[in-house]
């Protein structure tokens, strides 16, 4: 619903507007009323209405002053409709110069107001949709910028673009707030959106699915960002597991990646402790073992898992659980546990991307090998790592097959609906993110026909229907069946039915 604020110093006018107009019919609801300009301005600032219907002459602040003040000070001022008892061209001229939507005269005319509401309501809906689309596009662009930077792209062009996007000076200090939650992602992101603004980025999502927000140290932004993090945890801690981490770094936009990495390290440290809460990177214990994840060994093992190379899994698990300096099994129990937590996270992320059931997967592994929090010996850790990796190979392969089957079915349904268009296998492969040769083979396996045969069958079936049920010319039947050339259509029809389209029509 769209919010409307009613402003008039005559109570009987407010009563008439409230009771005579069918606000619901046009998608509006009355969010407030005011009898003078000062009260109206306070409610405009507080309620942020979509529409204000106001008199011109009121105590303290006039309706025209309300309009001017709104347009000067608000990022998204409401639309205004003037409802006045003065049939004065000068008043109307000033109002129209200020881009009011309509200038109506008292006494109230119910039909006239509702006609105006219908027009304005449509305009507001269109503007909201356009603004939302622009916001989504901008958010995707900024998210892409940030993730390029966070994943190691340090080109000067990218740095300049980030600086322009965030409007940050190079000498300013930087902080990153990072949130991991399992149940209220949308609410948290909306909460962060309301905080974003000058000297603070819009929210982004990193490659691990955490929600983040950057800020620079201007006008206590970093202090307010830290307070926001604490409030987020207090607000959503009862809604599910949530970790909020804060990372700080000197150096402005050039230090974004360091601030993010500190926040990510603090978040993982908290998760490693199997705790929820708010944590700052500067509050962590020094030289924590979590910093020593063997990233190369982890990447090698994940590569084998994703490639389905079960025979290589055992050696690569052993390499992950060995000291990267000495290549000997370490006695540090916590170090080994951290490697397996990192492996667990990597596997679950891959399953999530394939839309697999991550909860069922980890429950199965724990049923077979135990809960990692209760393991305290290297043989048990090794057993857990092998069970996790081998089960991951099997589950990822099966999930890929399920997803591929689903994708081929989607391709088939798409062809069924769009066969009249100029469909090509290469373009379909790009649309559904598949290799064209594989798509052709999988399509034949699913339908029993090649893509071209299947498409021709659909088009000829449609041509038969049109020949039976319409009086279209043969050329029009060809076009409406998906054939750009009438001669080619006739030749295909003869080849597949044994007769010309005209002959087929006569026999029906």
């Amino acid at each position: 619903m769209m919010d409307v604020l009613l402003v008039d110093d005559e109570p009987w006018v407010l009563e008439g507007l409230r009771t005579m107009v069918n606000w619901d019919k046009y998608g509006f609801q009355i969010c407030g009323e005011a009898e003078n300009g000062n009260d109206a301005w306070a409610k405009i600032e507080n309620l942020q209405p979509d529409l204000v219907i106001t008199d011109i002459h009121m105590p303290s602040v006039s309706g025209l002053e309300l309009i001017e003040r709104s347009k000067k000070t608000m990022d998204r001022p409401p639309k205004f409709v003037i409802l006045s008892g003065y049939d004065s061209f000068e008043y109307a001229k000033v109002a129209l110069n200020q881009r009011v939507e309509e200038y109506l005269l008292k006494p109230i005319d119910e039909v006239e107001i509702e006609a105006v509401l219908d027009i304005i309501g449509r305009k507001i809906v269109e503007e909201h949709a356009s603004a939302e689309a622009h916001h989504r596009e901008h958010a995707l662009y900024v998210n892409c910028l940030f993730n390029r930077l966070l994943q190691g792209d340090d080109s000067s062009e990218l740095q300049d673009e980030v600086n322009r996007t965030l409007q940050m000076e190079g000498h300013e200090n930087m902080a990153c707030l990072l949130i991991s939650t399992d149940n209220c992602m949308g609410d948290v992101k909306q909460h962060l959106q309301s905080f974003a603004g000058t000297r603070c980025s819009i929210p982004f999502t990193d490659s691990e699915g955490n929600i983040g927000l950057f800020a620079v140290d201007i006008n206590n932004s970093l202090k307010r960002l830290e307070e926001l993090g604490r409030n987020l945890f207090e607000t959503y801690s009862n809604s599910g597991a949530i970790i909020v981490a804060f990372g700080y770094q000197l150096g402005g936009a050039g230090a974004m990646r360091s601030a993010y990495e500190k926040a990510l390290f603090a978040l993982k440290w908290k998760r490693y402790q199997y705790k929820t809460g708010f944590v700052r990177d500067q509050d962590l214990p020094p030289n924590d073992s979590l910093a020593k994840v063997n990233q190369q060994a982890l990447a090698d093992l994940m590569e084998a898992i994703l490639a389905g190379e079960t025979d290589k899994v055992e050696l690569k698990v052993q390499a992950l659980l060995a000291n990267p300096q000495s290549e000997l099994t370490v006695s540090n129990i916590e170090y080994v546990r951290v490697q397996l937590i990192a492996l667990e996270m990597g596997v679950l992320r891959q399953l999530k991307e394939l839309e697999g059931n991550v909860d069922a997967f980890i429950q199965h592994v724990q049923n077979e090998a135990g809960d990692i929090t209760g393991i305290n010996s290297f043989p048990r850790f090794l057993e857990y790592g092998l069970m996790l990796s081998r089960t991951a190979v099997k589950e990822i392969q099966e999930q890929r097959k399920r997803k591929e089957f689903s994708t081929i079915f989607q391709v088939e349904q798409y062809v069924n609906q769009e066969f009249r268009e100029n469909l090509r296998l290469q373009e379909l492969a790009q649309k559904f993110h598949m290799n064209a040769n594989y798509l052709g083979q999988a399509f034949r396996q699913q339908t029993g026909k090649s893509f071209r045969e299947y498409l021709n069958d659909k088009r000829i079936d449609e041509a038969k229907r049109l020949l039976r049920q319409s009086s279209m010319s043969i050329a029009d039947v060809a076009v409406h069946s998906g054939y750009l050339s009438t001669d080619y259509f006739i030749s295909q029809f003869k080849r597949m039915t044994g007769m010309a389209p005209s002959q087929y029509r006569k026999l029906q």
Side-chain angles (χ1 to χ4, degrees):
M1 296 289 284
M2 294 168 284
D3 289 330
V4 59
L5 176 69
L6 307 180
V7 183
D8 202 292
D9 60 347
E10 297 178 288
W12 66 268
V13 175
L14 294 176
E15 176 68 20
L17 286 170
R18 187 188 318 118
T19 58
M20 291 172 55
V21 178
N22 187 351
W23 300 100
D24 287 348
K25 180 179 178 181
Y26 302 99
F28 287 93
Q29 61 183 5
I30 298 173
C31 65
E33 298 176 7
E35 295 185 7
N36 62 73
N38 280 333
D39 186 26
W41 176 244
K43 287 181 176 175
I44 288 174
E45 284 190 304
N46 183 45
L47 300 174
Q48 299 283 312
D50 299 286
L51 172 64
V52 177
I53 297 180
T54 180
D55 193 4
I56 288 183
H57 284 283
M58 294 179 298
S60 65
V61 177
S62 73
L64 296 178
E65 288 175 311
L66 276 181
I67 298 170
E68 185 177 5
R69 189 181 296 181
S70 297
K71 293 186 181 297
K72 283 184 176 179
T73 62
M74 299 179 70
D75 293 332
R76 192 178 67 86
K79 296 188 180 303
F80 283 87
V81 169
I82 294 293
L83 189 61
S84 176
Y86 296 87
D87 186 7
S88 166
F89 174 74
E90 287 304 318
Y91 283 134
K93 182 179 178 181
V94 173
L96 293 174
N97 283 340
Q98 291 184 335
R99 304 275 181 98
V100 300
E101 299 300 317
E102 191 59 77
Y103 187 98
L104 303 177
L105 294 175
K106 298 177 183 177
I108 300 169
D109 185 310
E110 175 186 348
V111 174
E112 189 176 16
I113 288 180
E114 291 192 355
V116 170
L117 289 179
D118 185 34
I119 295 171
I120 293 176
R122 294 175 189 273
K123 185 182 292 187
I124 291 173
V125 169
E126 290 174 1
E127 289 178 358
H128 283 185
S130 176
E132 181 64 25
H134 175 75
H135 174 76
R136 285 197 301 269
E137 290 175 2
H138 181 64
L140 286 171
Y141 174 69
V142 172
N143 204 78
C144 179
L145 279 182
F146 288 173
N147 275 283
R148 282 175 58 195
L149 186 69
L150 301 181
Q151 291 169 17
D153 186 341
D154 57 358
S155 65
S156 58
E157 293 83 358
L158 179 61
Q159 290 283 357
D160 291 343
E161 185 63 20
V162 171
N163 277 317
R164 284 193 297 270
T165 301
L166 295 184
Q167 299 178 343
M168 294 178 175
E169 300 296 334
H171 66 273
E172 295 159 351
N173 301 332
M174 173 73 64
C176 176
L177 195 68
L178 208 57
I179 302 102
S180 171
T181 177
D182 62 359
N183 198 37
C184 47
M185 188 78 74
D187 291 338
V188 169
K189 186 170 288 188
Q190 189 172 6
H191 201 131
L192 292 180
Q193 288 281 9
S194 64
F195 186 83
T198 305
R199 303 301 176 185
C200 185
S201 75
I202 65 173
F204 68 93
T205 304
D206 71 3
S207 61
E208 298 188 12
N210 305 308
I211 309 171
L213 195 68
F214 287 108
V216 290
D217 195 7
I218 296 293
N219 297 328
N220 290 320
S221 292
L222 301 193
K223 183 177 180 181
R224 292 194 296 120
L225 186 67
E226 184 175 335
E227 290 172 354
L228 172 67
R230 296 182 188 277
N231 291 336
L232 279 172
F233 174 71
E234 292 175 4
T235 301
Y236 297 106
S237 58
N238 293 328
S239 302
I242 180 170
I243 302 173
V244 182
F246 182 85
Y248 172 79
Q249 180 66 35
L250 300 174
M256 281 181 69
R257 189 162 63 206
S258 295
Y260 164 77
E261 288 173 347
K262 287 184 175 182
L264 182 62
F265 176 76
L267 187 149
K268 289 184 175 181
W269 180 87
K270 200 74 170 177
R271 183 184 289 142
Y272 164 62
Q273 302 294 328
Y274 278 82
K275 295 179 181 178
T276 61
F278 176 85
V279 58
R280 303 187 311 165
D281 72 287
Q282 56 262 52
D283 296 334
L284 300 185
N287 301 319
D288 193 272
S289 61
L290 186 60
K292 302 183 185 300
V293 172
N294 189 338
Q295 296 292 347
Q296 185 58 57
L298 177 62
D300 291 344
L301 176 54
M302 285 301 303
E303 183 180 352
I305 290 173
L306 295 176
E309 297 172 336
T310 309
D311 57 322
K312 297 181 179 180
V313 160
E314 184 169 356
L315 285 176
K316 293 185 181 295
V317 169
Q318 290 175 347
L320 177 66
L321 303 187
N323 187 315
Q325 277 76 42
S326 66
E327 297 185 341
L328 297 174
T329 302
V330 298
S331 58
N332 187 335
I333 291 296
E334 299 311 315
Y335 172 88
V336 180
R337 198 191 313 276
V338 166
Q339 310 310 305
L340 288 177
I341 290 174
L343 172 62
E344 200 174 85
M345 290 170 59
V347 168
L348 295 183
R349 185 161 57 249
Q350 291 296 328
L351 281 176
K352 189 174 182 180
E353 289 179 4
L354 291 169
E355 301 175 4
N357 189 331
V358 295
D359 292 333
F361 171 81
I362 201 64
Q363 187 62 53
H364 171 72
V365 172
Q366 291 179 353
N367 288 342
E368 295 294 324
D371 190 332
I372 195 171
T373 59
I375 299 176
N376 288 299
S377 68
F378 181 78
R380 290 284 312 285
F381 278 130
L382 181 59
E383 179 185 345
Y384 187 93
L386 291 173
M387 171 60 68
L388 174 65
S389 301
R390 289 166 177 163
T391 306
V393 169
K394 181 179 178 182
E395 183 63 25
I396 287 173
Q397 288 180 327
E398 291 178 355
Q399 191 61 31
R400 279 175 176 166
K401 290 178 181 177
R402 287 191 287 267
K403 194 171 179 65
E404 286 172 1
F405 177 83
S406 173
T407 301
I408 299 302
F409 178 76
Q410 291 175 33
V411 172
E412 183 180 354
Q413 294 301 302
Y414 183 83
V415 173
N416 289 343
Q417 294 175 6
E418 306 295 335
F419 63 88
R420 299 174 186 84
E421 302 299 323
N422 185 23
L423 300 182
R424 299 181 184 278
L425 187 63
Q426 289 281 358
E427 293 169 357
L428 281 178
Q430 291 179 1
K431 179 178 179 63
F432 289 92
H433 309 291
M434 298 182 72
N435 176 274
N437 291 332
Y438 176 78
L439 175 58
Q441 296 169 5
F443 194 89
R444 180 186 288 275
Q445 186 175 2
Q446 173 125 339
T447 64
K449 301 175 183 177
S450 71
F451 170 73
R452 181 54 55 187
E453 290 170 342
Y454 188 90
L455 183 59
N456 268 331
D457 284 351
K458 293 297 297 183
R459 289 173 172 172
I460 294 300
D461 286 345
E462 176 66 3
K464 289 178 180 178
R465 185 186 71 80
L466 293 174
L467 290 169
R468 291 194 307 268
Q469 299 178 8
S470 76
S471 57
M472 287 183 182
S473 67
I474 300 301
D476 286 342
V477 169
V479 171
H480 284 81
S481 301
Y483 292 97
L484 299 180
S485 165
T486 303
D487 291 340
Y488 181 70
F489 162 63
I490 293 172
S491 69
Q492 289 297 306
F493 196 93
K494 284 182 177 179
R495 181 180 69 81
M496 298 180 70
T497 66
M499 64 185 77
S502 57
Q503 185 181 1
Y504 178 88
R505 171 174 274 169
K506 289 177 182 179
L507 294 176
Q508 300 309 306

